[in-house]
Amino acid sequence: MIKSSRGCCGAEELAEVKEAFEYGYFGLAYKTNEFEQELGNYLGTNRFVITVSTGTNALHLALDTIGIKEGDEVIMPSFTFVATAQAVVMCGGKPVFCEVNPVTFLIDVEDVKKKITNHTKAIIPVHYAGRPCDMDALMRIKEETGIRIVEDAAHAFGTYYEGKKIGSFGDITCFSFDSIKVMTCGEGGAIVTDDSLFDDLSRQKRLLGIDRKTMHVKDWKKRSWVYDVPTLGYRYHMSNINAAIGLAQIKKVDKFIERRRELCHLYDWELRDVAGIETMPDEYDTITPFMYVIRVKAGRRNKLKDYLMEHDIESGVSYIPCHHFSLFQGNVNLPITDAIYEEILCLPMHYGLSDNDVQEVAGRIWEFFGSEGVYDTEI
Ligand SMILES: Cc1ncc(COP(=O)(O)O)c(C=O)c1O
């Protein structure tokens, strides 16, 4: 079976985790702090880095910290993993779904502008498949209106936008390090920002609202047991064990990204003449390709998906647009998103994939369209 996605951990991760075991305290501890440092180093920024237990929690914590509450609207693409929308609902806010660009599948800033009301408090651009959204335009909206920009960068750790890494600029950036992401902590997430008030408050909220500054910790032997809880909080910190995995992974992440880039170029090459599909823009050398997505034309997507599965090849449909779920259904008209959803197919993409695997997948796609008689003989 050629798996559609897989994590890649080995001896280095085990060695880090062993150290975390031996330390004996598994919660928020020294490796969590070290991992935050390393994330900042990797992104090339001295911005604040707040690690958390999942990417979903990163989004929720970010929205909660900026004060999203009942009655507030948050504009976001419907074309994203449901986690993005659930994070808004968790705060009591209302996700307002907007369109995406038909070629890049990234948030359509013109549609965002049309959907801004007096209730709009935040916009969540999703850097889908690792491609960066139009951050210049979005940051201009923030400057003009005060609306916060909370990036869902779950797919985009290591992606460049105009020569800068996602997370090294902007307002608030949320990453995921779940088990299939380009880099994993097992489960994990992080928020990056230059907003010091946000940093303070989100650190309290990440640990049940406990204000560690009120602990007067000067010396671990005299650690005070008195502390204050000034705000609602959650149990969202990243554990020392998850951070240990992340510390080993971050040393390898450039290698992971490079291999994914090679695989995307190989897919592009192998699929270049298949007339029944469209590939995405070839900008892989500046992004972290989280997924390799094709569009399957003429209503053949599901048949192709089944055909690949018959030949032991997994593929995915990421994502079912949020407005299709019963929780979010309303009067939403998103024809571009709906058309994308009908056609997309995510082919296997992970570090462990071999060139032969890609050729096997591409060969089966050729075979499928050949058997359906839709080779483009002109090319
Ligand atoms: C676009 C997007 N946002 C948010 C998340 C949530 O991240 P996590 O799985 O770490 O909670 C994911 C996870 O797949 C995602 O793909």
Side-chain angles (χ1 to χ4, degrees), residues 24 42 66 84 86 124 136 138 140 165 180 196 220 245 259 262 328 334 363 367 372:
Y42 182 81
I66 62 171
T84 323
Q86 287 285 24
I124 312 183
D136 286 343
L138 290 160
R140 266 198 303 278
K165 276 186 182 147
I180 59 157
S196 61
W220 68 272
I245 299 172
R259 179 62 184 150
E262 279 172 17
F328 302 109
L334 298 170
E367 201 174 79
E372 299 242 324

PDB file of all heavy atoms in Angstrom, residues 24 42 66 84 86 124 136 138 140 165 180 196 220 245 259 262 328 334 363 367 372:
ATOM      1  N   GLY A  24      11.848  12.902  34.345  1.00  0.00           N
ATOM      2  CA  GLY A  24      10.862  12.519  35.360  1.00  0.00           C
ATOM      3  C   GLY A  24       9.666  13.435  35.491  1.00  0.00           C
ATOM      4  O   GLY A  24       8.669  13.079  36.102  1.00  0.00           O
ATOM      5  N   TYR A  42      14.671  28.842  13.936  1.00  0.00           N
ATOM      6  CA  TYR A  42      14.400  28.322  12.586  1.00  0.00           C
ATOM      7  C   TYR A  42      13.682  29.363  11.729  1.00  0.00           C
ATOM      8  O   TYR A  42      13.985  29.531  10.544  1.00  0.00           O
ATOM      9  CB  TYR A  42      13.562  27.028  12.656  1.00  0.00           C
ATOM     10  CG  TYR A  42      13.335  26.462  11.271  1.00  0.00           C
ATOM     11  CD1 TYR A  42      14.317  25.709  10.645  1.00  0.00           C
ATOM     12  CD2 TYR A  42      12.163  26.748  10.565  1.00  0.00           C
ATOM     13  CE1 TYR A  42      14.148  25.246   9.353  1.00  0.00           C
ATOM     14  CE2 TYR A  42      11.985  26.286   9.275  1.00  0.00           C
ATOM     15  CZ  TYR A  42      12.980  25.539   8.673  1.00  0.00           C
ATOM     16  OH  TYR A  42      12.804  25.089   7.389  1.00  0.00           O
ATOM     17  N   ILE A  66      -7.272  37.100  21.725  1.00  0.00           N
ATOM     18  CA  ILE A  66      -7.604  38.420  21.156  1.00  0.00           C
ATOM     19  C   ILE A  66      -9.045  38.813  21.467  1.00  0.00           C
ATOM     20  O   ILE A  66      -9.506  39.864  21.034  1.00  0.00           O
ATOM     21  CB  ILE A  66      -7.320  38.514  19.630  1.00  0.00           C
ATOM     22  CG1 ILE A  66      -8.177  37.511  18.843  1.00  0.00           C
ATOM     23  CG2 ILE A  66      -5.835  38.347  19.348  1.00  0.00           C
ATOM     24  CD1 ILE A  66      -8.105  37.719  17.334  1.00  0.00           C
ATOM     25  N   THR A  84     -10.217  24.770  11.727  1.00  0.00           N
ATOM     26  CA  THR A  84     -10.175  26.240  11.641  1.00  0.00           C
ATOM     27  C   THR A  84     -11.518  26.827  12.095  1.00  0.00           C
ATOM     28  O   THR A  84     -11.555  27.788  12.876  1.00  0.00           O
ATOM     29  CB  THR A  84      -9.875  26.687  10.181  1.00  0.00           C
ATOM     30  OG1 THR A  84      -8.960  25.785   9.580  1.00  0.00           O
ATOM     31  CG2 THR A  84      -9.349  28.100  10.121  1.00  0.00           C
ATOM     32  N   GLN A  86     -13.937  25.232  13.808  1.00  0.00           N
ATOM     33  CA  GLN A  86     -14.278  24.838  15.182  1.00  0.00           C
ATOM     34  C   GLN A  86     -13.611  25.760  16.201  1.00  0.00           C
ATOM     35  O   GLN A  86     -14.184  26.058  17.252  1.00  0.00           O
ATOM     36  CB  GLN A  86     -13.853  23.381  15.450  1.00  0.00           C
ATOM     37  CG  GLN A  86     -14.724  22.341  14.764  1.00  0.00           C
ATOM     38  CD  GLN A  86     -16.090  22.151  15.422  1.00  0.00           C
ATOM     39  OE1 GLN A  86     -16.597  23.043  16.103  1.00  0.00           O
ATOM     40  NE2 GLN A  86     -16.716  21.013  15.200  1.00  0.00           N
ATOM     41  N   ILE A 124      -9.044  34.739   9.169  1.00  0.00           N
ATOM     42  CA  ILE A 124      -8.090  33.618   9.229  1.00  0.00           C
ATOM     43  C   ILE A 124      -7.717  33.197   7.808  1.00  0.00           C
ATOM     44  O   ILE A 124      -8.462  32.449   7.166  1.00  0.00           O
ATOM     45  CB  ILE A 124      -8.650  32.387   9.988  1.00  0.00           C
ATOM     46  CG1 ILE A 124      -9.274  32.786  11.326  1.00  0.00           C
ATOM     47  CG2 ILE A 124      -7.549  31.356  10.176  1.00  0.00           C
ATOM     48  CD1 ILE A 124      -9.779  31.607  12.155  1.00  0.00           C
ATOM     49  N   ASP A 136       0.411  40.704   2.209  1.00  0.00           N
ATOM     50  CA  ASP A 136       0.482  42.177   2.103  1.00  0.00           C
ATOM     51  C   ASP A 136      -0.924  42.765   2.144  1.00  0.00           C
ATOM     52  O   ASP A 136      -1.198  43.709   2.891  1.00  0.00           O
ATOM     53  CB  ASP A 136       1.176  42.599   0.798  1.00  0.00           C
ATOM     54  CG  ASP A 136       2.677  42.364   0.869  1.00  0.00           C
ATOM     55  OD1 ASP A 136       3.186  42.196   1.990  1.00  0.00           O
ATOM     56  OD2 ASP A 136       3.317  42.336  -0.200  1.00  0.00           O
ATOM     57  N   LEU A 138      -3.669  41.411   3.240  1.00  0.00           N
ATOM     58  CA  LEU A 138      -4.351  41.147   4.516  1.00  0.00           C
ATOM     59  C   LEU A 138      -3.833  42.067   5.617  1.00  0.00           C
ATOM     60  O   LEU A 138      -4.619  42.587   6.425  1.00  0.00           O
ATOM     61  CB  LEU A 138      -4.170  39.670   4.904  1.00  0.00           C
ATOM     62  CG  LEU A 138      -4.941  38.695   3.998  1.00  0.00           C
ATOM     63  CD1 LEU A 138      -4.376  37.282   4.091  1.00  0.00           C
ATOM     64  CD2 LEU A 138      -6.435  38.695   4.358  1.00  0.00           C
ATOM     65  N   ARG A 140      -2.675  44.977   5.162  1.00  0.00           N
ATOM     66  CA  ARG A 140      -3.235  46.321   4.881  1.00  0.00           C
ATOM     67  C   ARG A 140      -4.634  46.444   5.487  1.00  0.00           C
ATOM     68  O   ARG A 140      -4.986  47.474   6.051  1.00  0.00           O
ATOM     69  CB  ARG A 140      -3.280  46.582   3.369  1.00  0.00           C
ATOM     70  CG  ARG A 140      -2.037  47.313   2.873  1.00  0.00           C
ATOM     71  CD  ARG A 140      -2.267  47.942   1.507  1.00  0.00           C
ATOM     72  NE  ARG A 140      -2.687  46.996   0.490  1.00  0.00           N
ATOM     73  CZ  ARG A 140      -1.839  46.205  -0.193  1.00  0.00           C
ATOM     74  NH1 ARG A 140      -0.546  46.246   0.031  1.00  0.00           N
ATOM     75  NH2 ARG A 140      -2.313  45.370  -1.101  1.00  0.00           N
ATOM     76  N   LYS A 165      10.124  33.931   6.050  1.00  0.00           N
ATOM     77  CA  LYS A 165       9.384  32.725   6.437  1.00  0.00           C
ATOM     78  C   LYS A 165       8.053  33.100   7.078  1.00  0.00           C
ATOM     79  O   LYS A 165       7.989  34.061   7.875  1.00  0.00           O
ATOM     80  CB  LYS A 165      10.203  31.887   7.416  1.00  0.00           C
ATOM     81  CG  LYS A 165      11.201  30.978   6.715  1.00  0.00           C
ATOM     82  CD  LYS A 165      11.883  30.062   7.705  1.00  0.00           C
ATOM     83  CE  LYS A 165      12.912  29.202   6.964  1.00  0.00           C
ATOM     84  NZ  LYS A 165      14.078  28.894   7.766  1.00  0.00           N
ATOM     85  N   ILE A 180       1.050  13.950  10.929  1.00  0.00           N
ATOM     86  CA  ILE A 180       1.367  13.864   9.495  1.00  0.00           C
ATOM     87  C   ILE A 180       1.925  15.165   8.925  1.00  0.00           C
ATOM     88  O   ILE A 180       2.137  15.275   7.719  1.00  0.00           O
ATOM     89  CB  ILE A 180       0.123  13.452   8.667  1.00  0.00           C
ATOM     90  CG1 ILE A 180      -1.017  14.446   8.859  1.00  0.00           C
ATOM     91  CG2 ILE A 180      -0.294  12.023   8.977  1.00  0.00           C
ATOM     92  CD1 ILE A 180      -2.016  14.442   7.724  1.00  0.00           C
ATOM     93  N   SER A 196       3.434  41.664  22.602  1.00  0.00           N
ATOM     94  CA  SER A 196       3.855  41.208  23.935  1.00  0.00           C
ATOM     95  C   SER A 196       2.654  41.019  24.870  1.00  0.00           C
ATOM     96  O   SER A 196       2.675  40.139  25.741  1.00  0.00           O
ATOM     97  CB  SER A 196       4.861  42.177  24.544  1.00  0.00           C
ATOM     98  OG  SER A 196       4.263  43.446  24.682  1.00  0.00           O
ATOM     99  N   TRP A 220      14.317  27.587  42.683  1.00  0.00           N
ATOM    100  CA  TRP A 220      13.390  26.450  42.623  1.00  0.00           C
ATOM    101  C   TRP A 220      13.169  25.819  43.989  1.00  0.00           C
ATOM    102  O   TRP A 220      12.114  25.282  44.282  1.00  0.00           O
ATOM    103  CB  TRP A 220      13.838  25.416  41.596  1.00  0.00           C
ATOM    104  CG  TRP A 220      15.093  24.663  41.931  1.00  0.00           C
ATOM    105  CD1 TRP A 220      16.358  25.026  41.640  1.00  0.00           C
ATOM    106  CD2 TRP A 220      15.179  23.421  42.625  1.00  0.00           C
ATOM    107  NE1 TRP A 220      17.243  24.100  42.099  1.00  0.00           N
ATOM    108  CE2 TRP A 220      16.546  23.094  42.713  1.00  0.00           C
ATOM    109  CE3 TRP A 220      14.243  22.553  43.189  1.00  0.00           C
ATOM    110  CZ2 TRP A 220      16.994  21.938  43.338  1.00  0.00           C
ATOM    111  CZ3 TRP A 220      14.702  21.401  43.811  1.00  0.00           C
ATOM    112  CH2 TRP A 220      16.065  21.108  43.883  1.00  0.00           C
ATOM    113  N   ILE A 245      10.293  15.353  20.909  1.00  0.00           N
ATOM    114  CA  ILE A 245      10.164  14.869  19.512  1.00  0.00           C
ATOM    115  C   ILE A 245      10.421  16.036  18.556  1.00  0.00           C
ATOM    116  O   ILE A 245      11.168  15.924  17.585  1.00  0.00           O
ATOM    117  CB  ILE A 245       8.766  14.245  19.277  1.00  0.00           C
ATOM    118  CG1 ILE A 245       8.560  13.038  20.196  1.00  0.00           C
ATOM    119  CG2 ILE A 245       8.608  13.834  17.808  1.00  0.00           C
ATOM    120  CD1 ILE A 245       7.138  12.478  20.180  1.00  0.00           C
ATOM    121  N   ARG A 259      12.976  17.130   0.268  1.00  0.00           N
ATOM    122  CA  ARG A 259      12.496  15.890  -0.370  1.00  0.00           C
ATOM    123  C   ARG A 259      11.067  16.073  -0.909  1.00  0.00           C
ATOM    124  O   ARG A 259      10.741  15.619  -2.003  1.00  0.00           O
ATOM    125  CB  ARG A 259      12.545  14.739   0.639  1.00  0.00           C
ATOM    126  CG  ARG A 259      12.056  13.418   0.085  1.00  0.00           C
ATOM    127  CD  ARG A 259      12.908  12.942  -1.078  1.00  0.00           C
ATOM    128  NE  ARG A 259      12.378  11.705  -1.670  1.00  0.00           N
ATOM    129  CZ  ARG A 259      12.519  11.374  -2.945  1.00  0.00           C
ATOM    130  NH1 ARG A 259      13.171  12.167  -3.781  1.00  0.00           N
ATOM    131  NH2 ARG A 259      12.020  10.244  -3.400  1.00  0.00           N
ATOM    132  N   GLU A 262      11.245  17.846  -4.163  1.00  0.00           N
ATOM    133  CA  GLU A 262      11.660  16.940  -5.255  1.00  0.00           C
ATOM    134  C   GLU A 262      10.480  16.088  -5.712  1.00  0.00           C
ATOM    135  O   GLU A 262      10.265  15.902  -6.918  1.00  0.00           O
ATOM    136  CB  GLU A 262      12.751  15.982  -4.748  1.00  0.00           C
ATOM    137  CG  GLU A 262      14.145  16.547  -4.714  1.00  0.00           C
ATOM    138  CD  GLU A 262      15.115  15.572  -4.019  1.00  0.00           C
ATOM    139  OE1 GLU A 262      14.790  14.365  -3.866  1.00  0.00           O
ATOM    140  OE2 GLU A 262      16.180  16.046  -3.614  1.00  0.00           O
ATOM    141  N   PHE A 328     -22.487  23.953  10.216  1.00  0.00           N
ATOM    142  CA  PHE A 328     -22.256  25.292   9.665  1.00  0.00           C
ATOM    143  C   PHE A 328     -23.222  25.681   8.556  1.00  0.00           C
ATOM    144  O   PHE A 328     -23.074  26.745   7.955  1.00  0.00           O
ATOM    145  CB  PHE A 328     -20.825  25.389   9.117  1.00  0.00           C
ATOM    146  CG  PHE A 328     -19.774  25.097  10.143  1.00  0.00           C
ATOM    147  CD1 PHE A 328     -19.031  23.929  10.078  1.00  0.00           C
ATOM    148  CD2 PHE A 328     -19.529  25.982  11.186  1.00  0.00           C
ATOM    149  CE1 PHE A 328     -18.059  23.654  11.025  1.00  0.00           C
ATOM    150  CE2 PHE A 328     -18.557  25.710  12.137  1.00  0.00           C
ATOM    151  CZ  PHE A 328     -17.826  24.549  12.055  1.00  0.00           C
ATOM    152  N   LEU A 334     -20.938  29.509  -2.319  1.00  0.00           N
ATOM    153  CA  LEU A 334     -19.499  29.530  -2.611  1.00  0.00           C
ATOM    154  C   LEU A 334     -19.210  28.625  -3.813  1.00  0.00           C
ATOM    155  O   LEU A 334     -18.664  27.518  -3.674  1.00  0.00           O
ATOM    156  CB  LEU A 334     -18.713  29.071  -1.382  1.00  0.00           C
ATOM    157  CG  LEU A 334     -18.856  29.925  -0.117  1.00  0.00           C
ATOM    158  CD1 LEU A 334     -18.226  29.233   1.095  1.00  0.00           C
ATOM    159  CD2 LEU A 334     -18.224  31.304  -0.303  1.00  0.00           C
ATOM    160  N   GLY A 363       1.813   6.385 -13.046  1.00  0.00           N
ATOM    161  CA  GLY A 363       1.522   5.343 -14.045  1.00  0.00           C
ATOM    162  C   GLY A 363       0.075   4.888 -13.961  1.00  0.00           C
ATOM    163  O   GLY A 363      -0.595   4.693 -14.981  1.00  0.00           O
ATOM    164  N   GLU A 367      -2.785   5.140 -16.729  1.00  0.00           N
ATOM    165  CA  GLU A 367      -3.533   3.924 -17.078  1.00  0.00           C
ATOM    166  C   GLU A 367      -5.038   4.191 -16.999  1.00  0.00           C
ATOM    167  O   GLU A 367      -5.792   3.846 -17.902  1.00  0.00           O
ATOM    168  CB  GLU A 367      -3.141   2.866 -16.049  1.00  0.00           C
ATOM    169  CG  GLU A 367      -3.342   1.444 -16.404  1.00  0.00           C
ATOM    170  CD  GLU A 367      -2.732   0.593 -15.280  1.00  0.00           C
ATOM    171  OE1 GLU A 367      -3.383   0.432 -14.223  1.00  0.00           O
ATOM    172  OE2 GLU A 367      -1.592   0.113 -15.450  1.00  0.00           O
ATOM    173  N   GLU A 372      -9.948   5.111 -20.011  1.00  0.00           N
ATOM    174  CA  GLU A 372     -11.157   5.903 -20.229  1.00  0.00           C
ATOM    175  C   GLU A 372     -11.076   6.632 -21.566  1.00  0.00           C
ATOM    176  O   GLU A 372     -11.970   7.396 -21.912  1.00  0.00           O
ATOM    177  CB  GLU A 372     -11.312   6.919 -19.106  1.00  0.00           C
ATOM    178  CG  GLU A 372     -11.452   6.264 -17.752  1.00  0.00           C
ATOM    179  CD  GLU A 372     -12.762   6.558 -17.093  1.00  0.00           C
ATOM    180  OE1 GLU A 372     -13.262   7.670 -17.250  1.00  0.00           O
ATOM    181  OE2 GLU A 372     -13.296   5.655 -16.435  1.00  0.00           O
TER     182      GLU A 372
END
